[in-house]
Structures are given as structure tokens and as C-alpha cells.
Amino acid sequence: MIQTTELVATGITKAFPGVRALDAVDVSFKAGEVTALMGENGAGKSTLLKILNGDYIADAGTITLGGRRAAFSSPSDARRAGLRVIAQEPEVAPYVTVAENMYLGRYPSHLGFVSQKEMKRDAAKDLERLGFAELLDPAAIGVTLSPAQRQLLEIVRALIDDPQVICFDEPTSSLSDHEIDVLFGCIGRLRDQGRAIAYVSHRLREVFQIADSVTVLRDGKLVGNRRVEGLSEEDIIQMMVGRDLSNMHQRTPHEPGPVRLRLINVTTDDVRDISLEVRAREIVALAGLVGAGRTELALAIAGDRPIRSGTLEVDGQVLKSKTPEQAIERGVGLAPEERKAMALVMIRTVKDNIVLAMLKRISRLGFVSDAKEKVLAAEQIERLNIRTPTMRQRVENLSGGNQQKVVLGRWLASNSRVLVLDEPTRGVDVGAKAEIYRIIDQLAASGVAVLVISSELPEVLGLADRIVVMENGRTTGELSRAEATEEKVLALAMAGQLQTTARRSRETR
Amino acid sequence: MPNPVHAPTPTAATPTAGKGGQFMTVVRRLGLENISLVLAITVLALLIGSQNSAFFRSSNIAAIGNYVVIMGLLAVVETVVVIMGGIDISVGSVAGLASVLAGMVYAASWGNWWLSMLIPLAAGLLCGLFNGVVVVFGRITPLIATLATLSGFKGLAQLVSNGRAQGYTGADAVYTFIARGKVLFIPTLVWVLIIVAALIHVLLRYTRVGRDIYAVGGNDTAARLSGVNINRRILFVFVLAGGVAAIAGILITARTGSGQPVSGSQGMEMLAVTGAALGGAALRGGKGSVVSTIFAVILLGVLLNGMTLLGINPFWQNVAQGALLIAAVVIQQLSSGERRVGLPK
């Protein structure tokens, strides 16, 4: 018999320090339907899934599952109630079989002894039932699986105990067309069996292919829920971006100077054929969706990832750096995306962190000049208005915005001529954001070439003189400040998907 | 409204003026670790002295001093390795290899004292280089790499000596000066520790290499992206550890009058790590100081000497060392506020 369990969430609100991630959001996932959940990076999709899953507790709002009140305090609670959220990043135990991975934590056992034979048999049966038998071998070892197979394994694992509500979070990012077809076949069957399915994806064509309705979030608020019939791609993009631009970005226009940073057909392990240039006194934004290869490109410019082909020029001279040390000597600085993990020595002082990249220049015969480092640190604390009681305060005791200023101070102190800023305002409150925008603007004015990576469209539009858009490891276009709109940037960021829409749309429906 | 502090974590002692401010400033200058260690040494010394007045005799104080030297050298250099986020448990074996080589070279070169020190020193540096290469290029964690060489270097020392003491340096003027001489009322052995510790203190505090070592231990990715050549620093630190361990080995030869493959050095890695941890060097890296380690080593020396003086079964010494190491690290880890789930990183 067909069970009908739908999930209804009403008034879901969740705030993090400085950010309202979700604001009274109502969503429902109906039984026997696929609901696409869409929105830009940071719109609140992941937060919503985490609340449904019991990873986060909502500040307000109610969730009902099949008419009954549901408030899960952990993912295992949610699983027991019949709801599964399938993670974007597969967790596969590396040195055991696919079968063991499938039943991880619930091996079939008798008196504590696990029966390998029984497990393999069950695994084969379950794979057959779900339609993945030809793609996954129950005896294969975790490490030998391709990224696509790992993703499918994660999906299979979630589907084994027949959840009533299933949320897929960008399941196709590592899958090829054939595997996507198999997955969609499986999703179609689940829908026909009356399961309620939520499907998060940035790929518009998939939405038209698989979804019955589309729910769009923007800045933590629900924009709307519409049936897919009669909708166009432009309608969805419009729903995703149509927001008023608050005016916190002040840009003083500067006459761009000579080219400081030039990339010619740069190819690394992660990006292909990137060509772009940034002039002195210019801010160029690198826009795109998460995973487009922007961070990897930034690391390559900073000398931390090898450049396989193409050339990188700084101030007109080819830079062939094998280590960040060499790039820094030529005046290239990188403020990486993960501030705490990659940029700051949290248990050291503000002063030590500011001077870290230029110890060589303030040392004589290997001895660090105490006077020089104090002057340098004091200069940056003053100039960037870093709020710290003393320069001997440990960086871990500062707020996110002030920590980011310490990172910027490090590169200002070293007189970097090319600065790559990866998500410079992530985890920073609104007030500090405006301050950081002002600092970036001043940096450009002083003659630095700035390349900003940002996933926030208002930030990209407000800050940049030019915008280069990346998608899937390649550049898909460039827009001037005058011609750029959120719609245009987003269309380029999803360009690969749009081009193939016509050919593939609805062919499986 | 001058510079408000944003979100200080509750564990952090943010400097505040006013009541108790001056006292706190003094505490911070001297370091909480140093103050507690000195207090512990004082209490322990009074306790032992009240039971056995021989404790305070100058001959006993000198004995403690001499006892502390070998372990102090190893603990000081272990502190550097630990600050960098690594560990080197092969230092005892390197000391043994250096000791036996010193005895053998002395005998083979008809009493050439400087050659008998130079060759073990070079061997120690090579051992350290080997550790560093295995760690950096073999991608083996320091604990496992030096566990392997702990065994390997000890085996080498036993192989070249056939497991027996080698050479006789007890009649050599230089070796006896090192073992029993005094300069300005202080034993030469203690001077060696003072000089090595002072040099390493200067290295850590005032040089670029020292700053880099703290940065690598605190966050190696941040250090790398800030232009620190972290491989070179790691190699340097292991080579330094090998070199200082070799000096400790030469002192063992001087004290016993012959090269010792294992006696006097075996198990020293344990005291070295305990000394560093007790001195507050964070086993996860980025924090530690030579001065605190020296205090910790004195505490260890007083404790072990006291146990002997009070006639406690010497096997208890091993138990006491183990208990101290666990206590020191538990205190460190609990105060770091880490969640108590799964295997600690």
C-alpha cells in the first residue's frame, strides 16, 4: 500500500551571531512529489536542511511529519522518524567493502558475530532494488571507488531503510550523465511510491527534468513556491536574485594603472585555461558558485598549487613560484577563505601574526628587530582600526572582523602589490563588513591590484570594477561594473547548465 | 570610548587595569607555569628536607645538578620539537650512540679528545637529519618515525660496541674537567646545560627561525601561506635535536669514564618529554618555553633524588614519571576546552 507522509515546516527561524540565517520560512515537501529547493549561496538552504535533520535546533517554528509534530535533536532521531538528508560530501570508510559501508553501524549480526556472506547478499539485493546494481559492486573496497560511486554509495546508504522523506543536497555535482539518469530513475520510482522528496541543486536543467515544484529561498526568507509547469529559467533566476541592493559599498572610482597581475591560459589540477588581468588601482571580482574552482585558482596564484601550463605574470614579469615564499617575495599576498585554519596562528599574538610574512625583511643576521616589528604592528592596528587591547593579545580572543583585519594587516605590512582576497567578509558581522569594504577600496586607491573572490553577489557588484565569472574550473565570462547585474552574473555562473537545457530538458519525463 | 574588546573568550585573561591588575601583570610577566613550578619545587624540597636533612647538603645539591644536566639538555631540545608540533623520542638512543662513539674514537685515536667529541656530534646531527627526512619526505608522523629510530639507533650503538662499554676517558684531563671540574663554583656539567639552554632560548625568542618554529606549531598552513619554508624548519629542528642529544651523550661518557651504548641514556626520552610537557609546552604545538622546561626538569630532579634519599623502592620512580607525564598533559588538554569525544588529535 502507498504511504503518504508529507513534511511541513512553518515559521522556521534561525539566527547565528550577526546573521539571521532563516526568517520565518514555510516549506512543505508533499508525498509523491519532488520539490526543488533553490537559492543562491547563503540563501539558507543548508541551514534549513540541517534544521530538518536535527543538526541544528530552530529558534522558532514547527515541523510536522505525516501530521505529527516532529522536533529532532539529532540526525539519528530524524532517521528513526523516517527522514533522511543525504549529505553533499560522502563519508566512505576507506578500507572496507561497499557492503560494509552500506550497513555501517547496523551490520547484520548473530550473537555479535557479523556474517559477511549475509551482508553481501543483502547488499546485492538492496542495490538491485534501488537500481544501482550495475554501478556499485558490493565487494569493492572504499578507496577504489570513483567520486561518483562514493556519492551513489552515500545515497544508497540513506535509502536502505525506506525513509518517507528524502532530501538530496546537490547529489549530482560529481556524477556523469549516465549516473544522473540512473539516479533520476531511482528518484522517479521513489516519487511513484509516494515518498516526499526535496532536491537541492544549482542546475536548472535538472530542476526542469525531475521536479514537480520549486521552492526558492533568498537571504533566509521564502520567496515562493511554484509549480514547474509554465515556469522558465529566467523566472527562477529572477526569484533567486530579485533583492534590493543596500548601499554599504562605497567605491571611489580610480583610473586603473598598469597591469599588475596577468594570467594567460593558466591550467592547474583544478582549473583550465584561465586568462585574466588585474591592473593597479583596480578591484576585480571572481564570481561563481561554490566549487567553481576559484579558491584553487587563488592558491595557485599564491604559489601554493602547481601551475601545469600557461603563464602567470606579476608586474610584467613571469612568476614561476613553487612555494608561497617566492610569490610573496614578488609582492603577491593571499588572504585565504578559511581564516582560522589557513591564515592565522590563533594562539600567537596580534603582533606576531601581522609580521609573520615579513620576518625576513625585519631581521638582521637571523635576529628579528623588536623595534621594527612593534612599529609595523602598531601601524597596522592604527590604520585598520583593529580593536585589541594590546598588540600582545592572542588573535583567538578577537572577533571575526578584527581577525580578518589582522590578515589584511599582514599583507599591508609586507607592501603587497597584488592581493588575492578569498571571501574576505565570511563570518564577519555587518559593521565590520562595511569597514573591510572601505579598507579594500583604500588598498586599491593606494595602487594595489586586488582580486576578490566572493560568493555574495551584492558584494561582488558593489566592490568590483570588473567581474570575471567562473564555472566548473573555467571562466565563462567577464562583465564591467556598468553592465553587471545579479541576473547576468548568476546566468554566467550557471552557464554550463543553461546551454544544455534545450537539448536535455524533460527527456526523461 | 576607547577600543572595546570584541568577544573575549572566557578562558582568556584579558589585561585589565584596576583591582588586582598589578598582581596579574606580575603573574603574566613571570608566567603562571613558572610560578607554579617554583612553588612546587619549594614545597617538595621542604618536604624532603624535613624527612632527611642530607637533602640540603651542598654535595647533594651538586648531585641533583649533575643528575639534571643530561635530562635537562634533552628536555630543552625536546621543547623545541614540541613547540613545532612534533615529538622526538629517539633522543635517548642518539645520546647512547654518541656516548659509545666518543669512547671508541677516543680509544682508536690514542686519546684525541676533540676528535672523540666531533665525530659523535656529527653522528648525532646525521641521526637528526635522518629523522627529519623520514618525517618530511617519508610522510611519517614524528611519533612513529622516532619510535622506529629509537629502536634503530639503539641497535646501531649496540652493534658497533657489541653491547659493551667502550674506551676509557677517566684519565683524560678534558673529560675529567667536564665530569668533575668547576667554574665559578658551578660544576662544568651544569655550565654546559646553562649555555645550551641559553642559546636555544635566544633562538626561540629572538630569531626568525624561532618565530617560524612557533608559527609552524601553531598553524602550519598559515605559516606556509605566509612564506615560511616549513620543510626546511622541520629538518632544522630534528637536526638540532640530534646535535643536542649527541652533546648529552658525550657528557654521559665524561661522567662514567667510558662510552655507554645504553646505560645512562635508555629511557631518557621519557624524562625529556615529561620535562617539556610539565614545563607547559603544548603537545599540539605553538606554545612552550625553555625557562619553564628548566624549572620542570629541576622539579623532576628533586623528586627523583628525594625518592632515593627517602629510601623508596627505585621501581616507584618509573611509576612516578609516568604519573607526572599523564598529569601534566591532562592539565594541558583539559584547559584547552576540547570536546571529550573520540581519539584526541
Side-chain angles (χ1 to χ4, degrees):
Chain A
M1 89 158 248
I2 293 177
Q3 292 172 305
T4 51
T5 306
E6 65 171 351
L7 181 139
V8 181
T10 40
I12 301 293
T13 299
K14 177 77 186 171
F16 296 109
V19 202
R20 179 161 279 228
L22 288 174
D23 189 2
V25 169
D26 302 331
V27 291
S28 65
F29 304 141
K30 293 192 177 62
E33 275 196 9
V34 177
T35 309
L37 187 59
M38 301 201 71
E40 286 181 86
N41 297 325
K45 305 181 302 271
S46 304
T47 310
L48 180 61
L49 289 187
K50 282 190 171 142
I51 286 173
L52 296 181
N53 198 23
D55 267 330
Y56 293 161
I57 309 289
D59 299 338
T62 57
I63 303 168
T64 61
L65 191 63
R68 265 188 316 209
R69 187 72 186 270
F72 308 124
S73 52
S74 77
S76 41
D77 273 8
R79 186 189 305 172
R80 268 194 295 278
L83 180 140
R84 279 303 284 254
V85 173
I86 299 171
Q88 215 170 336
E89 296 293 329
E91 295 287 346
V92 174
Y95 300 110
V96 300
T97 61
V98 165
E100 284 171 86
N101 264 296
M102 283 168 63
Y103 302 108
L104 211 61
R106 50 185 159 165
Y107 290 150
S109 70
H110 304 285
L111 303 170
F113 288 91
V114 175
S115 160
Q116 288 283 347
K117 221 202 231 159
E118 189 182 338
M119 191 151 61
K120 284 219 176 91
R121 209 176 49 225
D122 287 359
K125 240 189 283 172
D126 278 329
L127 286 171
E128 189 64 49
R129 172 170 66 89
L130 295 165
F132 296 108
E134 54 157 329
L135 296 172
L136 277 173
D137 171 9
I141 304 295
V143 280
T144 64
L145 301 179
S146 69
Q149 285 175 316
R150 300 160 75 88
Q151 183 67 56
L152 292 177
L153 176 55
E154 184 77 37
I155 291 168
V156 166
R157 191 191 278 163
L159 298 180
I160 285 172
D161 45 24
D162 262 328
Q164 299 301 306
V165 181
I166 308 148
C167 306
F168 292 89
D169 192 357
E170 296 199 47
T172 54
S173 51
S174 57
L175 301 187
S176 71
D177 286 353
H178 173 62
E179 290 143 354
I180 292 175
D181 287 344
V182 173
L183 174 65
F184 283 6
C186 172
I187 293 178
R189 280 194 300 281
L190 290 168
R191 174 180 55 203
D192 298 341
Q193 288 163 17
R195 307 286 180 265
I197 294 159
Y199 188 89
V200 175
S201 177
H202 284 300
R203 301 190 177 180
L204 286 169
R205 78 166 151 89
E206 291 180 357
V207 171
F208 285 101
Q209 216 173 324
I210 193 85
D212 300 290
S213 69
V214 182
T215 295
V216 178
L217 295 181
R218 185 204 310 149
D219 293 339
K221 294 199 181 74
L222 178 71
V223 177
N225 179 291
R226 308 263 288 273
R227 304 298 299 175
V228 166
E229 290 91 46
L231 273 185
S232 70
E233 286 144 17
E234 289 70 29
D235 293 337
I236 295 179
I237 292 183
Q238 179 65 42
M239 285 169 80
M240 284 165 68
V241 300
R243 104 188 81 190
D244 61 322
L245 277 175
S246 55
N247 206 3
M248 67 188 309
H249 310 275
Q250 312 162 319
R251 276 288 278 128
T252 39
H254 311 291
E255 194 55 40
V259 175
R260 279 258 144 98
L261 175 73
R262 178 181 279 136
L263 277 65
I264 306 163
N265 299 326
V266 166
T267 296
T268 74
D269 293 340
D270 305 288
V271 301
R272 291 186 299 283
D273 249 355
I274 306 289
S275 297
L276 61 87
E277 48 181 55
V278 187
R279 292 164 174 275
R281 291 192 289 281
E282 192 181 37
I283 300 174
V284 173
L286 208 48
L289 300 173
V290 171
R294 296 168 302 162
T295 294
E296 291 78 4
L297 179 63
L299 288 169
I301 294 172
D304 200 46
R305 294 272 174 100
I307 290 175
R308 300 294 178 198
S309 68
T311 48
L312 173 66
E313 288 178 12
V314 173
D315 285 328
Q317 282 182 316
V318 176
L319 171 61
K320 280 196 169 162
S321 47
K322 290 200 168 62
T323 60
E325 198 179 355
Q326 292 162 325
I328 289 166
E329 262 166 34
R330 293 283 298 278
V332 179
L334 165 69
E337 182 181 11
E338 304 268 342
R339 197 164 50 230
K340 291 180 186 176
M342 299 177 73
L344 292 166
V345 188
M346 299 297 281
I347 61 170
R348 302 291 290 170
T349 64
V350 171
K351 180 197 72 176
D352 287 355
N353 272 284
I354 288 176
V355 301
L356 185 59
M358 55 170 325
L359 287 172
K360 196 184 269 179
R361 267 178 276 169
I362 55 170
S363 301
R364 275 194 65 195
L365 304 170
F367 284 84
V368 180
S369 159
D370 193 48
K372 277 185 198 161
E373 65 172 344
K374 277 189 184 140
V375 168
L376 274 168
E379 256 173 34
Q380 299 310 327
I381 289 170
E382 163 91 33
R383 176 173 176 188
L384 302 179
N385 192 18
I386 299 173
R387 282 181 279 272
T388 174
T390 74
M391 65 173 73
R392 285 203 307 276
Q393 177 79 327
R394 286 190 189 185
V395 166
E396 63 187 351
N397 296 330
L398 304 187
S399 69
N402 282 300
Q403 288 177 352
Q404 184 66 3
K405 287 194 238 167
V406 170
V407 179
L408 293 175
R410 175 186 297 163
W411 299 116
L412 289 184
S414 351
N415 288 320
S416 298
R417 293 186 302 274
V418 174
L419 258 186
V420 183
L421 311 176
D422 196 352
E423 303 286 359
T425 61
R426 173 159 300 170
V428 162
D429 63 69
V430 181
K433 248 184 192 179
E435 251 183 303
I436 287 172
Y437 293 144
R438 205 163 52 240
I439 292 167
I440 295 173
D441 184 49
Q442 284 166 5
L443 270 171
S446 71
V448 177
V450 186
L451 185 64
V452 177
I453 295 174
S454 174
S455 298
E456 287 186 44
L457 285 176
E459 183 167 298
V460 166
L461 295 175
L463 215 48
D465 297 306
R466 277 186 298 124
I467 298 163
V468 175
V469 188
M470 282 182 73
E471 192 256 345
N472 199 16
R474 274 176 300 201
T475 50
T476 48
E478 188 175 320
L479 300 164
S480 71
R481 185 179 176 83
E483 63 184 337
T485 62
E486 295 201 23
E487 286 80 1
K488 282 185 191 166
V489 174
L490 205 55
L492 285 172
M494 302 193 288
Q497 280 80 44
L498 285 174
Q499 281 160 12
T500 47
T501 310
R503 187 166 53 81
R504 291 191 53 103
S505 75
R506 295 197 184 103
E507 66 190 19
T508 57
R509 299 286 305 264
Chain B
M1 194 187 69
N3 298 348
V5 187
H6 277 240
T9 58
T11 50
T14 29
T16 42
K19 250 197 302 182
Q22 244 164 356
F23 174 70
M24 286 310 289
T25 312
V26 172
V27 169
R28 207 169 309 110
R29 267 288 143 77
L30 296 175
L32 198 60
E33 267 111 15
N34 293 342
I35 293 171
S36 4
L37 284 168
V38 170
L39 273 176
I41 292 168
T42 315
V43 169
L44 198 61
L46 290 175
L47 213 71
I48 297 167
S50 70
Q51 299 296 308
N52 187 338
S53 57
F55 178 82
F56 287 113
R57 274 190 210 138
S58 63
S59 62
N60 189 52
I61 302 288
I64 295 176
N66 283 334
Y67 181 74
V68 152
V69 167
I70 310 285
M71 119 174 124
L73 284 172
L74 299 179
V76 161
V77 83
E78 192 71 52
T79 304
V80 183
V81 185
V82 165
I83 288 172
M84 191 189 62
I87 194 163
D88 183 349
I89 55 171
S90 74
V91 285
S93 296
V94 175
L97 182 61
S99 171
V100 81
L101 282 178
M104 290 176 76
V105 173
Y106 187 82
S109 65
W110 311 102
N112 186 334
W113 65 266
W114 61 266
L115 197 65
S116 75
M117 294 184 187
L118 196 68
I119 288 180
L121 186 64
L125 295 172
L126 274 178
C127 287
L129 183 66
F130 183 81
N131 280 336
V133 167
V134 168
V135 168
V136 171
F137 300 108
R139 309 307 302 152
I140 302 179
T141 57
L143 182 66
I144 301 301
T146 58
L147 178 63
T149 55
L150 162 92
S151 166
F153 295 151
K154 183 161 76 180
L156 279 183
Q158 288 165 324
L159 272 176
V160 295
S161 65
N162 220 354
R164 285 192 291 270
Q166 295 289 322
Y168 178 67
T169 59
D172 185 272
V174 177
Y175 274 101
T176 44
F177 171 69
I178 292 172
R180 285 186 288 279
K182 281 189 180 181
V183 177
L184 299 173
F185 311 108
I186 293 174
T188 321
L189 279 175
V190 176
W191 275 113
V192 176
L193 175 60
I194 292 174
I195 292 167
V196 171
L199 287 176
I200 290 182
H201 178 75
V202 167
L203 173 87
L204 284 177
R205 270 293 144 81
Y206 302 106
T207 70
R208 184 155 72 89
V209 175
R211 293 302 186 75
D212 287 353
I213 290 169
Y214 278 104
V216 171
N219 184 343
D220 59 345
T221 307
R224 189 185 75 228
L225 289 176
S226 298
V228 176
N229 188 331
I230 59 177
N231 284 357
R232 200 190 295 159
R233 296 298 180 240
I234 295 169
L235 287 174
F236 169 82
V237 166
F238 277 104
V239 169
L240 180 74
V244 174
I247 294 176
I250 294 165
L251 297 192
I252 290 172
T253 302
R255 271 182 53 182
T256 57
S258 56
Q260 306 289 343
V262 288
S263 154
S265 58
Q266 186 162 255
M268 274 291 167
E269 59 281 341
M270 170 71 194
L271 287 167
V273 175
T274 307
L278 205 56
L283 289 179
R284 58 184 63 201
K287 180 174 167 278
S289 111
V290 168
V291 178
S292 303
T293 296
I294 292 285
F295 283 128
V297 166
I298 294 172
L299 178 65
L300 272 172
V302 168
L303 179 73
L304 297 181
N305 174 272
M307 289 178 80
T308 312
L309 279 188
L310 299 184
I312 297 171
N313 182 340
F315 295 133
W316 275 113
Q317 294 196 1
N318 283 334
V319 179
Q321 286 171 28
L324 262 179
L325 178 55
I326 289 188
V329 179
V330 165
I331 291 168
Q332 261 183 31
Q333 298 288 64
L334 292 191
S335 63
S336 77
E338 188 182 280
R339 278 183 72 200
R340 283 164 227 170
V341 180
L343 287 173
K345 296 244 163 51

